[in-house]
């Protein structure tokens, strides 16, 4: 450490003084510590403070956040980009999954590539209805990306250099961008929050023949946080952690099912982020993010849905592991008939068709110790909700499914170019009551490392699962204000 004894001449002759180190050594030391420690270190004395303008320091910290160039930040320096945006909000960048009952939701935050403004834009995913594009084959759809909120950088030169900690955001309600609202003489501003762990779980009750059967909805994430889709390494925005509000109970009855919004448990959910929109000023159904609707809204399809009278319950978002880094030194091949192919190549984020329930998001996990592939639901439906295993394949006792009548259901796939095997699928009745949960045999065709097809029981066709490969924003079309859609599709048929 730099000594505070005496004059500068004394410090210059102190053999322990860091002031004698060349800058490249100081930069190497900075690469080993937390950004706050770097700021404290450079603030120790006037000589070290002279290194604050050195762009290499702030470029190094920005690279840690995944920002490799300043293309989408106008004329700003690395110091401005890091201090005013990335230092606080870089952990937002990536995918997030909400705990909204049954269906869940995906939110994606990225650096805005539109030159009109600079900063972070967060969008929620929405999928079109079920698509049966080919005869006998249910296709998943790519999401449409609905702008939910943005965190813009301040205009160049508007503020002195600082570490930004403000949590206000610009919220989008359909084609309107709004920053502040006035209601009853008060100004309301949507805001981003970092929430402390909470003690609650969603309860589901089924009422049949005057008998009540209640069970706890699956925890999301699970208690032990061992699910591969949960990214424990990313962290959260540098906002002060706030205590979680008490969860307001919200009831909805659908035929013989009653859903109760929450109940207290001993289990602590992990920390989360949440965005509070302007409650009471806009109909919650107009918000792009379904997890901001009252519990029970839009959970069910068909003629059984009734509107909930409960207050909106803000969803808690948890980080998703994406993209996936494959284990090494396993040699991975695209096609399962290649001798170098390995089930680990299936690991990652997938989109799957679930017939009338539409497209759902899954995370495929390769569990080497058990020699199985598991498909975890990151989003779900009224029968099998988010947070549980949808299906699994056991590669220990692999047995090929070669029945001719069954292969016809796979739309003429060539048995010589695919891997056919049996698996286990998890099904349940509406509401996911514990006594109705069961397994069934499924027939699986692994076409390539990004294409799987599954025949569920006696279904009249196969359901397709496609790997989600990310986005090419420059090729997307803005189909309406604040809504983007990919024009590239999945690539290979």
């Amino acid at each position: 450490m730099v000594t505070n004894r005496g004059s500068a001449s004394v410090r210059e002759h102190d053999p322990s003084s860091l002031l004698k180190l060349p800058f490249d050594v100081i930069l190497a030391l900075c690469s080993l510590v937390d950004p706050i420690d770097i700021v404290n270190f450079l603030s120790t004395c006037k000589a070290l403070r002279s290194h604050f303008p050195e762009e290499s320091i702030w470029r190094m910290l920005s690279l840690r956040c995944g920002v490799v160039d300043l293309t989408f930040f106008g004329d700003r320096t690395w110091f401005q980009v890091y201090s005013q945006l990335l230092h606080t909000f870089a952990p937002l960048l990536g995918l997030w999954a909400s705990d909204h009952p049954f269906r869940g939701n995906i939110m994606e935050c990225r650096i805005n590539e539109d030159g009109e403004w600079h900063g972070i834009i967060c969008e929620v995913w929405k999928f079109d209805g079920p698509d049966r594009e080919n005869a006998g084959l249910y296709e998943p759809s790519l999401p449409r990306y609905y702008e939910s909120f943005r965190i813009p950088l301040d205009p160049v030169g508007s503020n002195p250099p600082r570490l930004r900690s403000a949590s206000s955001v610009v919220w989008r309600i359909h084609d309107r961008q709004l920053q502040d609202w006035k209601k009853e003489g008060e100004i309301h501003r949507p805001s981003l929050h970092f929430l402390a762990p909470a003690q609650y779980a969603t309860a589901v009750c089924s009422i049949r023949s005057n008998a009540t059967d209640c069970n706890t909805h699956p925890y999301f994430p699970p208690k032990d946080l061992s699910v591969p889709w949960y990214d424990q390494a990313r962290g959260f925005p540098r906002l002060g952690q706030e205590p979680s509000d008490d969860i307001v109970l919200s009831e909805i009855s659908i035929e013989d099912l009653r859903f109760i919004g929450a109940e207290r448990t001993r289990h602590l959910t992990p920390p989360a982020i949440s965005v509070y929109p302007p409650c009471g000023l806009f109909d919650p159904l107009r918000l792009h993010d379904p997890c901001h609707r009252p519990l029970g809204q839009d959970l069910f399809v068909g003629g059984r849905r009734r509107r909930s009278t409960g207050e909106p319950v803000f969803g808690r978002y948890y980080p998703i592991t994406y993209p996936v880094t494959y284990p090494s030194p396993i040699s991975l091949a695209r096609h399962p008939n290649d001798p170098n192919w390995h089930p680990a190549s299936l690991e990652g984020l997938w989109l799957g068709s679930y017939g009338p329930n539409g497209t759902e998001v899954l995370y495929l996990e390769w569990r080497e110790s058990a020699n199985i592939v598991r498909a975890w639901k990151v989003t779900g439906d009224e029968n099998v909700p988010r947070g549980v295993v949808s299906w699994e394949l056991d590669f220990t006792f692999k047995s090929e499914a070669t029945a001719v009548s069954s292969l016809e259901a796979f739309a003429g796939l060539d048995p010589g170019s695919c891997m056919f095997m049996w698996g286990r699928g998890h099904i349940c009745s509406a509401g996911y009551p514990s006594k109705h949960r069961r397994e069934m045999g499924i027939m699986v065709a692994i076409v390539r490392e990004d294409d799987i097809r599954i025949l569920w029981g006696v279904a009249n066709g196969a359901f397709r699962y496609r790997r989600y490969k990310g986005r090419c924003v420059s090729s997307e079309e803005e189909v309406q204000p604040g809504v983007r859609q990919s024009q590239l599709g999945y690539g290979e048929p």
Side-chain angles (χ1 to χ4, degrees):
M1 295 180 62
V2 177
T3 178
N4 292 321
R5 294 182 289 109
S7 63
S9 61
V10 174
R11 293 198 299 271
E12 289 173 359
H13 291 87
D14 186 347
S16 65
S17 175
L18 288 176
L19 300 180
K20 300 174 64 176
L21 295 176
F23 176 73
D24 58 342
V25 176
I26 293 179
L27 182 63
L29 292 175
C30 290
S31 68
L32 302 176
V33 297
D34 184 87
I36 296 296
D37 293 330
I38 294 176
V39 173
N40 292 336
F41 169 62
L42 296 181
S43 302
T44 305
C45 66
K46 184 176 181 180
L48 289 175
R49 189 170 181 81
S50 66
H51 293 308
F52 257 107
E54 293 289 346
E55 284 287 271
S56 53
I57 295 177
W58 311 106
R59 181 178 181 274
M60 173 192 67
L61 293 176
S62 299
L63 289 175
R64 291 186 191 178
C65 304
V67 178
V68 298
D69 61 59
L70 298 177
T71 303
F72 303 114
F73 292 103
D75 297 327
R76 293 174 176 83
T77 64
W78 284 107
F79 175 72
Q80 291 172 326
V81 171
Y82 181 81
S83 63
Q84 297 182 29
L85 184 72
L86 298 180
H87 177 74
T88 301
F89 298 109
L92 276 179
L93 299 174
L95 301 180
W96 298 79
S98 85
D99 63 351
H100 189 269
F102 292 95
R103 294 204 178 278
N105 191 47
I106 303 293
M107 178 173 69
E108 179 175 2
C109 297
R110 60 180 177 84
I111 300 297
N112 182 50
E113 299 182 13
D114 187 344
E116 295 182 1
W117 65 278
H118 310 107
I120 294 175
I121 182 171
C122 294
E123 299 156 306
V124 294
W125 292 11
K126 286 190 176 183
F127 297 94
D128 295 331
D131 181 14
R132 199 169 184 178
E133 185 176 282
N134 301 317
L137 182 63
Y138 290 92
E139 289 277 356
S141 61
L142 285 167
R144 288 190 175 191
Y145 307 99
Y146 284 72
E147 180 181 334
S148 180
F149 67 93
R150 58 176 63 172
I151 302 175
L153 269 167
D154 296 327
V156 176
S158 61
N159 290 303
R162 60 189 174 89
L163 291 179
R164 181 179 180 185
S165 61
S167 61
S168 62
V169 299
V170 176
W171 189 267
R172 176 179 283 275
I173 306 271
H174 283 210
D175 58 349
R176 299 174 61 189
Q177 296 176 8
L178 302 171
Q179 175 71 37
D180 299 309
W181 293 263
K182 282 189 176 181
K183 181 183 179 184
E184 299 178 358
E186 298 182 1
I187 292 181
H188 295 258
R189 173 175 294 180
S191 52
L192 176 68
H193 299 263
F194 174 32
L195 302 181
Q199 290 180 294
Y200 84 96
T202 303
V204 181
C205 296
S206 175
I207 303 175
R208 291 182 173 88
S209 303
N210 297 323
T212 302
D213 178 21
C214 293
N215 60 278
T216 300
H217 208 49
Y219 285 106
F220 190 86
K223 292 182 179 180
D224 59 2
L225 299 183
S226 63
V227 288
W229 62 261
Y230 181 78
D231 188 353
Q232 300 190 55
R234 190 193 308 177
F236 294 89
R238 294 177 185 269
L239 307 171
Q241 190 179 84
E242 306 173 24
S244 297
D245 296 333
D246 290 335
I247 305 299
V248 179
L249 297 182
S250 176
E251 298 187 5
I252 179 172
S253 297
I254 303 175
E255 292 185 351
D256 57 354
L257 297 175
R258 171 192 268 180
F259 298 93
I260 302 179
E263 62 179 1
R264 285 200 170 274
T265 66
R266 294 182 179 180
H267 168 63
L268 276 175
T269 65
I273 62 170
S274 186
V275 179
Y276 296 172
C279 294
L281 188 59
F282 292 96
D283 182 349
L285 293 179
R286 294 190 62 204
L287 297 174
H288 286 324
D289 189 344
C291 85
H292 291 144
R293 300 173 182 176
L295 284 176
Q297 281 289 8
D298 200 33
L299 292 181
F300 295 87
V301 295
R304 299 181 293 147
R305 184 176 63 188
R306 296 183 184 178
R307 181 166 182 145
S308 169
T309 58
E311 294 296 322
V313 175
F314 304 118
R316 296 172 63 92
Y317 276 96
Y318 301 98
I320 298 177
T321 302
Y322 184 81
V324 178
T325 301
Y326 293 125
S328 66
I330 297 175
S331 177
L332 304 176
R334 286 182 52 78
H335 295 277
N337 59 348
D338 189 306
N340 292 321
W341 185 85
H342 194 280
S345 65
L346 300 177
E347 191 161 38
L349 207 64
W350 290 65
L351 305 179
S353 173
Y354 282 83
N357 290 317
T359 300
E360 297 179 19
V361 181
L362 304 102
Y363 192 100
L364 268 59
E365 170 198 18
W366 162 245
R367 182 161 294 189
E368 186 175 7
S369 60
N371 207 28
I372 62 175
V373 168
R374 284 180 176 168
W376 292 89
K377 281 198 171 188
V378 183
T379 65
D381 53 62
E382 63 188 76
N383 300 101
V384 180
R386 83 290 179 273
V388 301
V389 174
S390 177
W391 48 266
E392 61 183 26
L393 307 177
D394 190 340
F395 286 83
T396 304
F397 306 103
K398 186 181 67 174
S399 59
E400 293 188 355
T402 57
V404 175
S405 58
S406 298
L407 292 179
E408 292 175 352
F410 283 111
L413 289 178
D414 180 9
S417 63
C418 306
M419 178 183 291
F420 292 90
M421 60 185 300
W422 297 102
R424 296 185 299 273
H426 302 276
I427 59 176
C428 191
S429 60
Y432 199 57
S434 55
K435 64 181 180 181
H436 292 163
R437 301 170 193 173
R438 62 187 181 91
E439 293 183 351
M440 66 175 299
I442 58 175
M443 188 177 296
V444 181
I446 303 176
V447 182
R448 57 177 64 87
E449 52 94 27
D450 54 10
D451 187 355
I452 298 176
R453 306 179 192 186
I454 295 181
L455 185 64
W456 291 77
V458 294
N460 296 321
F463 297 85
R464 197 169 194 174
Y465 297 76
R466 308 291 297 266
R467 184 188 301 275
Y468 181 72
K469 299 180 180 180
R471 301 171 60 178
C472 178
V473 177
S474 61
S475 67
E476 294 174 353
E477 178 185 357
E478 190 172 27
V479 294
Q480 64 186 74
V483 183
R484 306 183 67 89
Q485 185 173 25
S486 173
Q487 301 301 306
L488 296 179
Y490 283 99
E492 295 184 8

